[in-house]
Amino acid sequence: MDSDEDIMYDDDYDDSGNESSGDDDVEFAMVEEPNNPKERQELDEYPYEVLTTEQILQHMNECMKEVNIVVEMPSTVIRMLLNHFRWDKEKLMERYYDGDPEKLFTEAHVASPFAKMAVPAKIAKKEHRRTGPSVEECEICLSTLPSSVMSGLECGHRFCVSCWAEYLTTKIMSEGIGQTISCAAHNCEILIDDATVMKLVPDAKVRLKYQHLITNSFVECNRLLRWCPSPDCSSVIRVQHVESRPVTCRCGHTFCFACGNNWHEPVRCTLLRKWIKKCDDDSETSNWIAANTKECPKCKATIEKDGGCNHMVCKNSHCKTEFCWVCLGPWEPHGTSWYNCNRYDEDEARAARDAQERSRAALQRYLFYCNRYMNHMQSLRLEHKHYATVKEKMEEMQQHNMSWIEVQFLKKAVDILCQCRQTLMYTYVFAYYLKKNNQSVIFEDNQRDLETATEKLSEYLERDITQENLVDIKQKVQDKYRYCDSRRRVLAEHVYEGYDKEWWEYND
Amino acid sequence: MANIAVQRIKRELKEVLNSDEVARCSIHVELVGESFAELKGEIAGPPDTPYEGARFQLEIKIPETYPFNPPKVRFVTKIWHPNVSSVTGAICLDILKHQWAAAMTLRTVLLSLQALLASPEPDDPQDAVVARQCKDKPQIFHLTAQHWANAYAGGPSINTDYENKIRRLKDLGVTEMNARASLSSCDWDLERATEQIFS
Ligand SMILES: [Zn+2]
Ligand SMILES: [Zn+2]
Ligand SMILES: [Zn+2]
Ligand SMILES: [Zn+2]
Ligand SMILES: [Zn+2]
Ligand SMILES: [Zn+2]
């Protein structure tokens, strides 16, 4: 398996237009016309597989076997060591042959597999002194029990199996710990291997959760694997190389493999990440409010400053207090010239005023793009709900003597509508950061065209279908969605061409 | 309550009651009600500390998942100690949090608390005001802790200077408890304490 080499890749996966993905592409490169990005987009396949938790476990075991061939140790010890090195096989081997394996085990908090024979002195002594060889006391439930129901690791701490089961269940289910469950004794850092966990936990549900927890770190550490981000899905996507490309899970969710967000053509992962962060801390909005509103010094009503003049009049009709924006003092002593305010000189006040204007303009620009982005996101959600309505319509049409094949166009139309909305949504992220130049003007034209066409298609789908207008509507819907689809491609290809030819310049 | 928790508490009560410490009246535990979910603990202030001769009541709540999660313990008796809140009695002690282990018992918890009284850890404080005093003015800290032990926990040392200062504030209409808390946090500077209360 070559995935381990890829673990160490740098964060260079945003180069979706770049062909350096490996020898597999040679075949395609011969067919493709190098200067036609449209052809390239369609021919350049992105192979991936959808794996179940079981398959991931298997995959993980194969990886462990490869180490086991070289270093003979129990597989769970290998897993914990690999986990310690973030599944970097080479690094583990290097450290292992560096000389001091015992030190390595201590560092990774793993019981040494070579110390198995040593009899734990403490326990041996206790057995003899207290109760004889066949019974022991469990220090958790404080019961005296036959040695056959006592269990423990090489550290010598032994507890009864039902206490172990309780302990492990608490760790797995309420604390969500899998990889790093340590011995139940106080201050004992020895980690419990998975064979022991599986043996001591009787409940299948808990065992499943445990398997998920231990594979989780394997998936998270392996750059060629990614959990499907859909909330109730436990599938994993495996790729052959990391790229910002759409992958579709078994559950139907499509997302960007590189960043895990919904598929976000045409904007790149880095820019999207920046945008999401910006939207997340709406500090920008609150900063603006802090900078641009003050409270009336008399009635405490919130006053927004909308012009350059510092002579403020409270908007509360019962108050109408006149005051100075700068010092919040009464306006009267300031007379007719606002810069008489003795707490602020003219330059400083002007600079403050300019800064306020700038922050306000920037905010309005942000809100413009944000509103459109949110608007498409909202519509997209509604469109998804429309699938149900469309299904109904399709059934209705079949009753009007149309075949199943013939009514498929409706579903296809909603598919394309959703795709267009999604692309449009992300074009506003792209546009927000884009600096104006000749190409950005073309991009904005494309965006406008697609937006108009998409809204038209959406309107058509809302219309009632009757026996009379059915043929007509079908024709129009098909025309519309074909047009939308072609506009969407034109827009995306133009953006990708711009990435290749370095047309795009960004703000910030 | 889970069976194992009940079984454990029963066994532990027996263990504590038969221990040397109980014989020496150093620690004590008893049930509150019938449910095994709450207990009352008591520890004696360790010798050669400002808490010597005093007895401290503890509230012990047993979680459903005991002994796989630690009991929730709080001082009911007011105490002046950097790792215990002088207001709520909440305790900052590692074994009651992440260092808890299922094999620990109420006896080990009470003994650990006693050890904590003997060696405060002001660098990992629960009560920042007390911790600062403990580090910067150990002499005043010692006297204050001793005074609190006398006032709330039956400790033997009477500090007439402190008593007088409290009385002065009481004459101004301040409750005894507030007066003591303010004076303690102001290192017994009557002027500062008065200001703190009336500002
Ligand atoms: Zn047990
Ligand atoms: Zn152990
Ligand atoms: Zn999925
Ligand atoms: Zn992405
Ligand atoms: Zn007003
Ligand atoms: Zn002014």
Side-chain angles (χ1 to χ4, degrees):
Chain A
M1 188 181 57
D2 57 356
S3 62
D4 302 282
E5 294 162 31
D6 296 278
I7 290 169
M8 287 181 290
Y9 272 2
D10 295 328
D11 268 334
D12 58 359
Y13 49 73
D14 289 326
D15 303 327
S16 54
N18 154 335
E19 305 262 347
S20 65
S21 39
D23 302 337
D24 307 344
D25 291 339
V26 171
E27 236 177 284
F28 297 122
M30 312 237 284
V31 192
E32 128 186 22
E33 288 174 28
N35 286 327
N36 189 333
K38 176 174 182 172
E39 299 267 9
R40 189 206 58 203
Q41 282 296 319
E42 281 170 1
L43 284 172
D44 188 11
E45 277 183 31
Y46 188 57
Y48 63 86
E49 299 168 75
V50 185
L51 307 175
T52 61
T53 308
E54 279 302 313
Q55 284 171 304
I56 283 297
L57 257 177
Q58 224 172 1
H59 190 25
M60 195 171 106
N61 287 334
E62 278 161 29
C63 184
M64 282 152 40
K65 241 178 246 158
E66 279 174 56
V67 177
N68 200 25
I69 290 169
V70 189
V71 188
E72 256 187 63
M73 280 187 287
S75 64
T76 46
V77 173
I78 293 178
R79 179 176 62 72
M80 287 187 284
L81 291 175
L82 277 169
N83 185 54
H84 183 69
F85 288 105
R86 298 188 55 81
W87 292 87
D88 185 336
K89 213 167 51 184
E90 309 302 319
K91 213 170 180 176
L92 167 60
M93 306 282 205
E94 203 178 285
R95 274 297 311 277
Y96 186 80
Y97 287 110
D98 213 21
D100 196 351
E102 290 302 322
K103 198 174 145 219
L104 179 63
F105 296 136
T106 319
E107 195 187 294
H109 303 304
V110 181
S112 167
F114 308 122
K116 267 221 155 81
M117 293 303 115
V119 178
K122 186 186 157 202
I123 298 299
K125 202 170 112 200
K126 209 177 200 172
E127 283 171 22
H128 285 290
R129 194 192 48 172
R130 280 208 191 161
T131 48
S134 60
V135 280
E136 295 171 47
E137 183 180 62
C138 168
E139 279 185 57
I140 294 178
C141 61
L142 303 176
S143 316
T144 306
L145 296 159
S147 291
S148 57
V149 298
M150 299 292 287
S151 185
L153 299 165
E154 289 72 36
C155 57
H157 303 117
R158 288 164 64 81
F159 306 102
C160 79
V161 287
S162 64
C163 282
W164 270 118
E166 274 304 315
Y167 172 73
L168 294 169
T169 304
T170 310
K171 289 284 166 192
I172 295 162
M173 300 310 274
S174 29
E175 293 174 40
I177 303 172
Q179 203 68 249
T180 54
I181 305 179
S182 52
C183 167
H186 179 50
N187 272 343
C188 182
E189 284 192 331
I190 291 305
L191 298 178
I192 302 163
D193 59 275
D194 48 336
T196 306
V197 172
M198 295 306 267
K199 197 179 75 197
L200 290 170
V201 173
D203 186 339
K205 210 176 77 208
V206 181
R207 295 214 300 239
L208 194 73
K209 172 86 189 284
Y210 175 72
Q211 283 184 324
H212 191 85
L213 287 170
I214 58 172
T215 47
N216 187 45
S217 92
F218 175 73
V219 174
E220 308 260 280
C221 292
N222 192 323
R223 292 178 41 81
L224 297 180
L225 301 174
R226 187 185 275 281
W227 292 108
C228 167
S230 191
D232 291 318
C233 184
S234 59
S235 299
V236 169
I237 308 286
R238 175 163 65 172
V239 296
Q240 289 168 15
H241 57 270
V242 177
E243 248 185 66
S244 169
R245 291 293 204 102
V247 290
T248 303
C249 176
R250 194 177 287 116
C251 70
H253 182 56
T254 299
F255 60 98
C256 167
F257 184 83
C259 70
N261 286 303
N262 287 352
W263 176 232
H264 50 75
E265 183 175 74
V267 71
R268 285 181 166 176
C269 305
T270 39
L271 219 53
L272 178 66
R273 214 164 1 219
K274 207 165 156 184
W275 172 261
I276 290 173
K277 193 175 174 295
K278 192 181 177 67
C279 293
D280 277 354
D281 37 81
D282 58 9
S283 62
E284 252 180 89
T285 318
S286 42
N287 278 348
W288 182 81
I289 290 170
N292 292 279
T293 67
K294 286 185 182 172
E295 287 176 347
C296 164
K298 197 170 171 203
C299 75
K300 304 293 170 205
T302 302
I303 314 280
E304 183 181 311
K305 183 168 190 287
D306 49 11
C309 178
N310 284 311
H311 181 186
M312 305 304 295
V313 180
C314 175
K315 291 201 175 76
N316 176 351
S317 57
H318 300 294
C319 173
K320 288 188 174 162
T321 297
E322 295 182 52
F323 63 98
C324 165
W325 176 262
V326 181
C327 67
L328 292 180
W331 184 252
E332 214 186 329
H334 291 76
T336 46
S337 42
W338 65 269
Y339 47 77
N340 269 357
C341 174
N342 57 7
R343 290 213 209 157
Y344 236 97
D345 67 42
E346 187 176 353
D347 282 347
E348 228 179 303
R350 185 166 291 149
R353 197 169 47 167
D354 288 350
Q356 272 177 15
E357 295 299 319
R358 270 199 306 276
S359 94
R360 181 167 205 181
L363 181 84
Q364 267 168 352
R365 185 167 176 277
Y366 166 68
L367 288 177
F368 173 87
Y369 289 98
C370 193
N371 280 337
R372 274 150 193 79
Y373 171 81
M374 293 299 186
N375 201 23
H376 281 296
M377 190 190 279
Q378 192 76 30
S379 306
L380 193 59
R381 265 186 222 133
L382 291 175
E383 246 53 283
H384 277 295
K385 280 188 191 147
H386 282 174
Y387 273 114
T389 331
V390 163
K391 205 175 148 237
E392 256 170 50
K393 270 191 194 170
M394 285 165 71
E395 276 159 12
E396 191 189 317
M397 288 165 82
Q398 275 172 288
Q399 282 165 8
H400 293 306
N401 293 328
M402 288 188 100
S403 70
W404 185 81
I405 300 273
E406 276 176 303
V407 299
Q408 282 305 301
F409 78 95
L410 262 187
K411 190 186 167 294
K412 174 92 177 165
V414 181
D415 285 344
I416 288 179
L417 181 63
C418 289
Q419 273 177 12
C420 289
R421 288 234 184 262
Q422 193 147 343
T423 302
L424 275 169
M425 179 175 143
Y426 292 111
T427 59
Y428 283 104
V429 178
F430 184 65
Y432 174 74
Y433 290 105
L434 201 58
K435 267 194 189 151
K436 209 176 170 72
N437 62 22
N438 290 341
Q439 292 297 338
S440 81
V441 173
I442 299 176
F443 163 76
E444 277 168 12
D445 285 345
N446 286 338
Q447 190 187 31
R448 205 166 15 249
D449 276 357
L450 178 60
E451 187 138 49
T452 319
T454 304
E455 296 306 341
K456 281 244 174 66
L457 175 60
S458 176
E459 265 172 47
Y460 271 106
L461 287 174
E462 310 248 304
R463 288 195 190 169
D464 278 334
I465 299 174
T466 60
Q467 190 135 32
E468 293 76 51
N469 68 9
L470 195 142
V471 178
D472 182 41
I473 287 232
K474 178 174 178 179
Q475 192 54 49
K476 281 190 171 139
V477 166
Q478 278 178 326
D479 289 349
K480 266 298 160 228
Y481 79 58
R482 284 193 194 113
Y483 182 71
C484 281
D485 195 40
S486 80
R487 291 313 303 168
R488 194 184 62 80
R489 281 164 200 268
V490 167
L491 180 144
E493 279 147 19
H494 177 247
V495 174
Y496 286 126
E497 192 182 356
Y499 288 140
D500 284 348
K501 298 187 177 162
E502 293 177 5
W503 290 336
W504 311 127
E505 298 167 289
Y506 303 105
N507 295 309
D508 289 341
Chain B
M1 221 172 153
N3 204 25
I4 181 165
V6 174
Q7 200 181 335
R8 259 281 297 251
I9 297 299
K10 280 185 190 163
R11 298 287 308 245
E12 286 190 42
L13 280 170
K14 215 182 272 172
E15 178 203 39
V16 173
L17 297 178
N18 293 330
S19 68
D20 306 342
E21 292 89 21
V22 166
R24 284 186 279 107
C25 299
S26 159
I27 62 172
H28 182 76
V29 200
E30 64 186 60
L31 284 172
V32 174
E34 306 283 294
S35 72
F36 295 96
E38 193 176 335
L39 295 100
K40 211 159 78 181
E42 195 182 273
I43 54 175
D48 304 318
T49 71
Y51 312 103
E52 181 169 7
R55 297 191 72 83
F56 298 90
Q57 305 285 327
L58 299 156
E59 174 191 276
I60 304 169
K61 293 203 163 144
I62 305 297
E64 195 66 35
T65 48
Y66 187 80
F68 303 101
N69 281 307
K72 292 183 174 59
V73 186
R74 182 179 80 81
F75 274 87
V76 177
T77 309
K78 283 189 152 298
I79 182 168
W80 190 254
H81 186 285
N83 306 103
V84 184
S85 163
S86 59
V87 182
T88 63
I91 304 165
C92 176
L93 181 63
D94 56 0
I95 61 149
L96 291 176
K97 292 169 190 165
H98 55 278
Q99 285 295 327
W100 171 256
M104 289 185 160
T105 62
L106 294 174
R107 179 174 159 267
T108 47
V109 167
L110 295 186
L111 293 178
S112 302
L113 283 173
Q114 245 179 350
L116 185 68
L117 294 192
S119 45
E121 285 169 33
D123 289 325
D124 185 18
Q126 173 74 39
D127 194 309
V129 175
V130 185
R132 202 177 316 118
Q133 191 183 68
C134 176
K135 282 172 78 165
D136 298 347
K137 300 186 172 85
Q139 199 60 42
I140 294 183
F141 166 76
H142 187 94
L143 290 172
T144 308
Q146 207 167 41
H147 170 69
W148 280 51
N150 168 244
Y152 297 118
S157 312
I158 295 168
N159 187 321
T160 42
D161 176 33
Y162 288 180
E163 299 282 358
N164 284 336
K165 283 179 174 162
I166 290 171
R167 200 165 305 123
R168 296 270 295 276
L169 281 176
K170 275 172 77 181
D171 291 344
L172 298 172
V174 183
T175 64
E176 182 175 326
M177 206 188 266
N178 286 347
R180 183 173 291 113
S182 284
L183 282 163
S184 300
S185 64
C186 294
D187 302 335
W188 299 91
D189 180 331
L190 187 58
E191 218 167 286
R192 252 172 60 214
T194 315
E195 206 173 289
Q196 192 191 66
I197 290 171
F198 292 101
S199 68

